[in-house]
Amino acid sequence: MVAITSMGILTTAEGKRLSITYSVIDDTGKIIKENQRINRVAIDENALGHIDALENFAVNIIGGE
């Protein structure tokens, strides 16, 4: 099983970059890999729409304080 332990969205020159940290756990609960990291630039329009929605949500939180 893969357990996502953190995820971030960064705006870079390439576009919207997803930085994902995860662990891999076997069927017995033993951690096989820990704190693995992968980065991808989002190019899928559906994913980009979700990222925009999250960024708008964050702006509304900031504006509400």
Side-chain angles (χ1 to χ4, degrees):
M1 156 177 100
V2 174
I4 302 295
T5 56
S6 72
M7 183 170 49
I9 301 166
L10 305 105
T11 302
T12 65
E14 299 83 14
K16 300 292 181 176
R17 181 185 297 243
L18 274 68
S19 177
I20 304 163
T21 306
Y22 65 95
S23 295
V24 178
I25 303 165
D26 73 8
D27 293 339
T28 67
K30 180 179 176 184
I31 297 172
I32 304 300
K33 293 182 181 180
E34 189 172 17
N35 293 320
Q36 300 295 299
R37 187 169 167 190
I38 189 168
N39 290 288
R40 293 288 185 270
V41 175
I43 56 173
D44 178 82
E45 290 300 321
N46 189 41
L48 289 168
H50 290 294
I51 290 169
D52 287 342
L54 283 169
E55 288 176 339
N56 289 332
F57 180 72
V59 167
N60 289 332
I61 290 171
I62 294 167
E65 291 189 10

